[in-house]
Amino acid sequence: GAVVSQHPSRVICKSGTSVKIECRSLDFQATTMFWYRQFPKQSLMLMATSNEGSKATYEQGVEKDKFLINHASLTLSTLTVTSAHPEDSSFYICSARDADRGTNEAFFGQGTRLTVV
Amino acid sequence: RKEVEQDPGPFNVPEGATVAFNCTYSNSASQSFFWYRQDCRKEPKLLMSVYSSGNEDGRFTAQLNRASQYISLLIRDSKLSDSATYLCAVNIFKNDKLIFGTGTRLQVFP
């Protein structure tokens, strides 16, 4: 299947600092990428849809000024958690579709486990 | 009502058993349906897409019931390695966002 690479896989940061997470499509171009967050024993909750060359579309209740998304190229989207707090500790996962495949399958990055101390 | 709902389980079954999961969705306009498998602390991986006519892949069978707005996953001859969380996912438009259920935890024991 198509490959989506996400890093870092794990990060620990101090409260008040910012953390950037990268999501890359390695062997296809992704005009749209999706960012999810998953708390322990809960499902993946969509945070935002990242569109190449334009502003991201955020889901209700997700602060766009806190979770900055940039999708500057067809293969890279970044999520920056600004002024992180302990309640932001979670598993963040990106996904993308390969439009050329003709299927609707979404491929996921490996996820980033963020711990804010 | 949640957009996509699943019984969180856990389902504890012995090796060799057959187990079935259901997932209901609220939007009748939904077009695409999937089952993902997620292992602990890992990203979800596609298990199978769900087609209108139903589809089978080895020990796994997926069904779609549009009238009742649910999809199902049947696992036959369960293996220890099937232990995981099974997430259903739905989207309304092609290439649109995927909405996930809460996942159903399966534990297969010897």
Side-chain angles (χ1 to χ4, degrees):
Chain A
V3 179
V4 176
S5 176
Q6 183 178 343
H7 73 90
S9 59
R10 189 183 302 266
V11 58
I12 300 173
C13 72
K14 290 185 177 180
S15 189
T17 61
S18 295
V19 174
K20 179 185 281 190
I21 302 169
E22 291 189 350
C23 180
R24 293 179 185 274
S25 55
L26 296 187
D27 53 357
F28 67 99
Q29 294 183 328
T31 54
T32 304
M33 291 185 176
F34 304 92
W35 287 96
Y36 292 84
R37 178 169 56 182
Q38 186 177 36
F39 291 107
K41 297 188 179 181
Q42 294 187 26
S43 187
L44 283 81
M45 297 301 296
L46 181 67
M47 298 175 68
T49 301
S50 170
N51 302 298
E52 186 268 334
S54 65
K55 291 183 179 180
T57 303
Y58 289 81
E59 295 298 302
Q60 193 173 9
V62 178
E63 300 175 60
K64 62 180 181 181
D65 294 330
K66 181 170 180 63
F67 299 99
L68 301 179
I69 292 173
N70 184 281
H71 194 153
S73 78
L74 287 171
T75 59
L76 173 64
S77 175
T78 61
L79 167 68
T80 301
V81 182
T82 63
S83 186
H85 291 286
E87 58 265 30
D88 297 324
S89 299
S90 187
F91 191 48
Y92 292 85
I93 315 175
C94 67
S95 79
R97 285 195 175 91
D98 181 357
D100 291 338
R101 279 179 168 256
T103 67
N104 219 11
E105 181 180 351
F107 299 94
F108 285 84
Q110 302 92 327
T112 298
R113 193 160 301 279
L114 171 64
T115 303
V116 185
V117 298
Chain B
R1 184 185 172 186
K2 291 183 180 177
E3 291 183 84
V4 182
E5 291 195 76
Q6 291 181 256
D7 180 345
F11 284 60
N12 297 305
V13 302
E15 273 187 291
T18 295
V19 62
F21 309 134
N22 279 344
C23 168
T24 58
Y25 59 95
S26 61
N27 193 324
S28 59
S30 299
Q31 293 191 9
S32 302
F33 309 89
F34 307 89
W35 282 104
Y36 281 81
R37 171 192 169 129
Q38 186 177 26
D39 293 291
C40 189
R41 304 173 79 84
K42 299 282 188 181
E43 77 277 19
K45 295 193 175 176
L46 182 68
L47 182 64
M48 55 200 307
S49 301
V50 186
Y51 303 124
S52 296
S53 55
N55 46 303
E56 187 175 310
D57 183 2
R59 298 182 294 110
F60 300 85
T61 300
Q63 297 277 355
L64 167 63
N65 185 318
R66 284 195 181 273
S68 300
Q69 293 183 206
Y70 75 85
I71 62 173
S72 63
L73 177 67
L74 182 78
I75 305 176
R76 289 181 298 277
D77 189 23
S78 298
K79 311 290 184 189
L80 294 175
S81 57
D82 293 334
S83 298
T85 296
Y86 291 83
L87 299 158
C88 66
V90 174
N91 69 2
I92 300 174
F93 304 110
K94 188 176 180 180
N95 293 327
D96 194 15
K97 57 192 179 186
L98 272 177
I99 305 298
F100 284 87
T102 51
T104 298
R105 178 97 177 92
L106 172 66
Q107 183 67 50
V108 182
F109 58 88

